[in-house]
Amino acid sequence: DQQVKQNSPSLSVQEGRISILNCDYTNSMFDYFLWYKKYPAEGPTFLISISSIKDKNEDGRFTVFLNKSAKHLSLHIVPSQPGDSAVYFCAARAEGGSQGNLIFGKGTKLSVKP
Amino acid sequence: GAGVSQSPRYKVAKRGQDVALRCDPISGHVSLFWYQQALGQGPEFLTYFQNEAQLDKSGLPSDRFFAERPEGSVSTLKIQRTQQEDSAVYLCASSPDSYGYTFGSGTRLTVV
């Protein structure tokens, strides 16, 4: 049973518009959430994170929102650029769990059209 | 080096063969992690080292999988008697703490 779910396998957005990538989780013990970006033939690259004590974290064009009551987080990219085209993974870690054990979703492939 | 280096980049193994995958973490990084990513899936945790100590190996799928980091730097993931279901990309990551993971490009293992 998947603890971290990214229900949209793909998303297509026009350059300059907002991209919204969604992630749902089931484990209420998760206390730290991360987004990774992955280009083909490369490893995932850390993008942005959020602790469960916050509901928003912003870094340049990237903002992550956390809704704990809904067990939902989202990544907003604005404005979207063609270079943002990649697979985006949501990941979570359980409070008190092994520090190395991140649980990843299956990813959402974002395509930003010029 | 500047990043996490993994070798080989690609490995084709015959079923039943043993393989060894190498990870060179970023110099000075205390924590090292191995993940397995099957096609169309997200990475799945295998094991975690802090220096030379293997603190968590709960993700290793069977006793055919073994990881070591004897001197607290380079790590090797060994898979004995490979099976077709072992075909995946094996990702290594390192971190100076428990939060700032840097992943390598992975080793793509194909078992035929």
Side-chain angles (χ1 to χ4, degrees):
Chain A
D1 188 31
Q2 272 206 298
Q3 296 187 66
V4 176
K5 299 177 185 178
Q6 293 178 257
N7 291 319
S8 298
S10 63
L11 175 67
S12 184
V13 170
Q14 204 67 32
E15 181 179 7
R17 306 296 290 268
I18 186 170
S19 295
I20 300 176
L21 297 106
N22 293 303
C23 179
D24 296 291
Y25 62 95
T26 57
N27 189 341
S28 57
M29 295 298 287
F30 286 150
D31 68 341
Y32 191 66
F33 304 89
L34 308 91
W35 284 94
Y36 283 83
K37 174 180 176 180
K38 186 181 184 301
Y39 293 117
E42 294 184 12
T45 303
F46 171 75
L47 201 53
I48 193 168
S49 63
I50 188 166
S51 165
S52 60
I53 62 173
K54 295 186 174 181
D55 55 17
K56 178 182 174 181
N57 189 25
E58 191 172 351
D59 183 2
R61 296 185 298 115
F62 303 91
T63 303
V64 55
F65 295 92
L66 175 63
N67 182 335
K68 283 185 67 178
S69 61
K71 293 191 177 70
H72 177 84
L73 64 156
S74 60
L75 174 67
H76 293 210
I77 307 173
V78 56
S80 302
Q81 299 173 353
D84 296 329
S85 297
V87 177
Y88 289 78
F89 291 99
C90 171
R93 188 170 67 201
E95 180 182 5
S98 167
Q99 293 179 332
N101 194 343
L102 290 182
I103 311 297
F104 283 82
K106 290 187 177 184
T108 297
K109 184 175 182 179
L110 173 66
S111 300
V112 180
K113 311 271 186 213
Chain B
V4 177
S5 177
Q6 292 188 247
S7 60
R9 286 284 277 127
Y10 303 93
K11 175 70 179 178
V12 178
K14 290 185 177 178
R15 193 171 55 184
Q17 186 179 350
D18 297 349
V19 298
L21 312 180
R22 178 187 168 106
C23 174
D24 282 86
I26 293 173
S27 178
H29 277 195
V30 168
S31 300
L32 185 144
F33 317 89
W34 284 98
Y35 283 78
Q36 179 192 59
Q37 185 175 14
L39 191 63
Q41 305 294 315
E44 291 194 4
F45 171 78
L46 294 177
T47 188
Y48 158 55
F49 289 86
Q50 192 170 84
N51 296 307
E52 69 278 5
Q54 190 173 20
L55 298 187
D56 187 348
K57 55 182 180 179
S58 62
L60 296 176
S62 77
D63 59 8
R64 297 186 295 104
F65 287 70
F66 173 76
E68 60 183 6
R69 193 186 186 198
E71 295 176 1
S73 55
V74 171
S75 177
T76 304
L77 176 67
K78 297 179 179 177
I79 310 173
Q80 297 177 323
R81 304 180 304 282
T82 52
Q83 305 293 315
Q84 275 196 313
E85 63 263 28
D86 301 335
S87 296
V89 175
Y90 290 85
L91 294 163
C92 176
S94 71
S95 173
D97 48 39
S98 300
Y99 293 89
Y101 295 41
T102 301
F103 280 89
S105 297
T107 294
R108 181 176 293 278
L109 173 65
T110 303
V111 181
V112 297

